[in-house]
């Protein structure tokens, strides 16, 4: 959601900025722009549309010479996607340029104030108010102007700022929106995320809330909002730059689906030691685990779906009650957190605004928060009391696949650990479950190998209008994710229903030929789900079933069956989701959709 890249150094800035913005495309955007200082003045080029529009407009950056600049990909919040609303934004004399990720919540009163002072606004954005406020407070000292503005604005922001009168420096600021800075021998960089600078440097510093960075070509200084200088320690990024490249696959999503055996293995293996599960990062003794009376899982989107699965797994294996909340609801419903509650937030990006707010809300009430996070060093990772990383590596496609799978297995580990410590799983069961866990990567590989069959089936549904996914218990959680995967990338309307619930209204939407995907992986519920399949089939539905090997009876009620290998029923989600991911992917490819960057979506949702 909005990407920021800035550079100051010995090289031409525009190509570096364009390159960095391309690496942030996965965040989602609808327009792009750059401000470059050419030795005399700041020039801005910006346009609605994809990054290639800006690349063409500037001949790959060649027509914007200069060694310092800031760039931006915008995901519209205030004001429609348009050239005027694109960033950067100028002050009135075009001597100060600003790019912004986040939302200035009090921009309306500030805008009115600035208009009363004679400032004219050229855009409908909240961001432009920052450019005029900086203009108003700037009396020759950029740092002073920035701190004065920060004391007046409310909301979230990551900013890149440049002043024509200070052509040897650019500024970066952050509050509740991600921002990193980096340095190499040629210059210094600002970026919303590490992949944007990885080609140039592995030495990065995470900017914390309300810190200001002054970047020159050979050094960086960090300040508080009170202009006090602070020292920060850079970190070295050790992940492979190739991990953020497509590596021969047609789409990042396909590549990431194919990485799932590895990410599942990478998340499980380091935590299985001598036939036990050791999760050091939990920082919980057996006594602490025994003292947990309730678990609250809070997340958004697909991460929420892993939470719904975890509810069944944790309650089943550890017999601890679990409540699962969508983060945007949790924070405003005054949740009841009582002694013995453990809050678990799940997030790939570690930057999702609502999940972060839920974490803070829980901590403010005195509860410890465990973060299950993918992006190392992200806000949630830094603010959670304890962090269990999912080792999925950088996920670029907007629709999550490998991070989702890694989250699932991290939650299985947690459930098994709690179940064992609480004496709810026998040694024999635990041993068998460990074996089943270790088999998951190979079984996922096997299912991925079946992609042609799913592709052929998917091709029949590129023209579908509505698709329904049904399942019971864990299968309902799988259905929710299968449905989201399809709709978010193919734009086909789809809904997930608890299989028994369909007949309470929604079944009226079933017409001749409507596709109903029935997920049935829980042996105890096979018969029940078959009854629901028969109900929709009788009304003309075409029934696709995803079930376990050996459940031949389902063929009586299904028109097409995909079998998943045998595993512990609690782990079935990890297998059943693979054909559903492939189905969504191939329908979207068949429709010619922009699979990796679906319309209207952002990878990292840093606004509420
Ligand atoms: C769907 C998807 C989203 C995210 C959600 C939470 O494919 O990716 O639903 O799961 O926006 O994001 P994180 O996990 O970054 O908090």
């Amino acid at each position: 959601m909005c990407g920021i890249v800035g550079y100051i150094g010995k090289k031409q800035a525009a190509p570096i900025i364009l390159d960095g913005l391309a690496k942030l495309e996965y965040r989602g955007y609808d327009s792009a722009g750059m401000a470059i200082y050419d030795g005399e003045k700041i020039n801005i080029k910006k346009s609605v549309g994809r990054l290639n529009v800006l690349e063409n407009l500037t001949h790959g950056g060649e027509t914007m010479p200069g060694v310092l600049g800031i760039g931006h990909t915008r995901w519209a919040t205030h004001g429609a996607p348009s050239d005027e609303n694109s960033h950067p934004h100028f002050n009135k004399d075009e001597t100060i340029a600003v790019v912004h990720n986040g939302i200035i919540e009090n921009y309306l009163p500030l805008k009115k104030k600035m208009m009363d002072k004679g400032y004219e606004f050229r855009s409908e954005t909240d961001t432009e108010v920052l450019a005029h406020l900086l203009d108003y407070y700037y009396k020759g000292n950029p740092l002073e102007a920035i701190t004065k503005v920060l004391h007046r604005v409310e909301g979230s922001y990551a900013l890149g700022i440049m002043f024509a009168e200070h052509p040897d420096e650019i500024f970066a600021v952050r509050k509740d929106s991600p921002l990193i800075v980096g340095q190499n021998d040629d210059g210094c960089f600002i970026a919303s995320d590490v992949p944007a600078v990885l080609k140039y440097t592995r030495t990065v510093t995470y900017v914390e809330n309300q810190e200001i960075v002054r970047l020159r070509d050979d050094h960086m200084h960090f300040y508080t909002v009170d202009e006090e200088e602070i020292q920060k320690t850079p970190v070295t990024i050790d992940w492979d730059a190739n991990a953020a490249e497509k590596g021969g696959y047609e789409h990042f999503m396909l590549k990431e689906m194919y990485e799932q055996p590895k990410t599942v293995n990478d998340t499980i293996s380091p935590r299985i030691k001598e036939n036990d599960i050791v999760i050091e990062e939990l920082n919980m003794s057996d006594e602490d685990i025994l003292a947990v009376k309730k678990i609250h899982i809070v997340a958004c989107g697909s991460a929420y779906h892993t939470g719904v699965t975890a509810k069944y797994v944790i309650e089943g294996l550890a017999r601890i009650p679990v409540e699962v909340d969508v983060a945007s609801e949790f924070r405003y419903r005054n949740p009841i957190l009582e002694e013995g509650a453990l809050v678990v937030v799940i997030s790939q990006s570690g930057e999702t605004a609502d999940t972060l707010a839920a974490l803070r809300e829980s901590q403010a009430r005195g509860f410890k928060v465990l973060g299950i996070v993918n992006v190392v060093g992200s806000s949630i990772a830094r603010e959670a009391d304890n962090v269990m990383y999912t080792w999925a590596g950088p996920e670029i496609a907007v629709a999550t696949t490998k991070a989702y799978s890694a989250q699932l297995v991290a939650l299985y580990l947690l459930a098994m650990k709690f179940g064992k410590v609480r004496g709810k799983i026998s040694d024999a069961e635990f041993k068998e479950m460990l074996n089943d866990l270790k088999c998951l990567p190979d079984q996922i590989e096997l299912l991925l190998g079946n992609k042609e069959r799913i592709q052929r089936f998917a091709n029949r549904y590129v023209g579908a209008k509505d698709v329904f996914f049904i399942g019971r218990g864990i299968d309902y959680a799988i259905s929710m994710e299968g449905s989201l995967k399809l709709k978010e990338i193919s734009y086909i309307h789809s809904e997930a229903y608890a299989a028994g619930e369909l007949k309470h209204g929604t079944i009226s939407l079933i017409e001749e030929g409507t596709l109903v995907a029935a997920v049935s992986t829980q042996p105890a519920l096979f018969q029940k789900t078959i009854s629901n399949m028969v109900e929709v089939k009788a009304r003309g539905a075409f029934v696709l079933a995803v079930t376990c090997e050996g459940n031949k009876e389902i063929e009586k009620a299904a028109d097409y069956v995909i079998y998943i290998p045998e595993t512990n029923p609690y782990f079935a989600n990890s297998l059943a989701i693979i054909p559903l991911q492939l189905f969504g992917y191939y329908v979207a490819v068949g429709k010619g959709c922009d699979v990796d960057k679906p319309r209207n979506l952002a990878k990292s949702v840093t606004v509420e």
Side-chain angles (χ1 to χ4, degrees), residues 181-183 202-206 220 222 232-237:
V181 289
Q183 184 168 9
R202 288 180 169 276
T203 310
V204 308
T205 307
Y206 289 93
M220 300 187 259
F222 296 85
K232 303 261 305 174
T233 315
V235 294
T236 305
I237 301 296

Side-chain angles (χ1 to χ4, degrees), residues 458-470:
N459 284 342
R460 288 160 43 182
Y461 286 94
V462 292
K465 196 161 57 75
D466 305 293
V467 177
F468 294 89
F469 289 76
I470 58 170

Side-chain angles (χ1 to χ4, degrees), residues 308-322:
V308 179
T309 302
K311 173 181 169 64
Y312 292 103
V313 183
I314 297 172
E315 289 188 344
L317 293 178
R319 307 305 297 155
I320 303 173
V322 180

Side-chain angles (χ1 to χ4, degrees), residues 14-15 18 34 52-64:
L18 284 172
M34 275 191 295
N52 60 3
V53 180
L54 182 66
E55 272 164 359
N56 292 341
L57 204 64
T58 62
H59 294 253
E62 270 178 39
T63 58
M64 293 190 82

Side-chain angles (χ1 to χ4, degrees), residues 457 515-519 542-546 558-562 580 583:
F457 181 77
L515 178 63
V516 175
V519 185
F542 186 95
V543 180
L544 160 72
V546 179
D559 297 292
Y560 197 90
V561 183
I562 297 170
L580 298 183
F583 175 69

Side-chain angles (χ1 to χ4, degrees), residues 289-432:
I289 292 175
L290 288 169
V292 174
K293 295 203 180 88
K294 186 164 186 180
I295 296 179
H296 294 261
I297 299 182
V298 191
C300 300
S302 297
Y304 167 75
H305 298 160
T306 67
V308 179
T309 302
K311 173 181 169 64
Y312 292 103
V313 183
I314 297 172
E315 289 188 344
L317 293 178
R319 307 305 297 155
I320 303 173
V322 180
E323 228 174 82
V324 196
D325 271 272
V326 166
S328 53
E329 292 294 316
F330 178 85
R331 55 185 298 198
Y332 296 118
R333 78 167 170 90
N334 196 9
I336 300 169
L337 297 178
E338 287 175 337
E339 205 202 318
L342 170 69
V343 179
V344 180
V345 298
I346 310 168
S347 176
Q348 185 287 127
S349 62
E351 300 293 349
T352 301
D354 285 314
T355 312
L356 186 58
L359 172 153
R360 289 178 182 158
E361 170 73 28
S362 309
Q363 285 177 335
R365 292 173 180 221
F367 290 87
K368 286 225 159 111
V369 176
L370 167 68
I372 297 186
V373 181
N374 193 43
V375 177
V376 177
S378 57
S379 299
I380 294 177
R382 279 175 289 142
E383 293 191 29
D385 297 281
N386 297 302
V387 186
M388 187 174 173
Y389 280 112
T390 50
W391 297 115
E395 191 177 61
I396 308 296
V398 166
T400 183
T401 52
K402 63 173 181 171
Y404 168 87
S405 285
Q407 286 164 358
L408 279 177
V409 292
L411 288 158
Y412 302 158
L413 289 171
L414 203 66
M416 286 175 66
K417 174 85 197 165
F418 279 36
K420 181 147 188 251
V421 170
R422 296 167 73 94
K424 305 291 179 195
I425 310 176
S426 71
D427 287 350
E429 280 168 332
F430 189 80
K431 200 167 155 214
E432 207 174 306

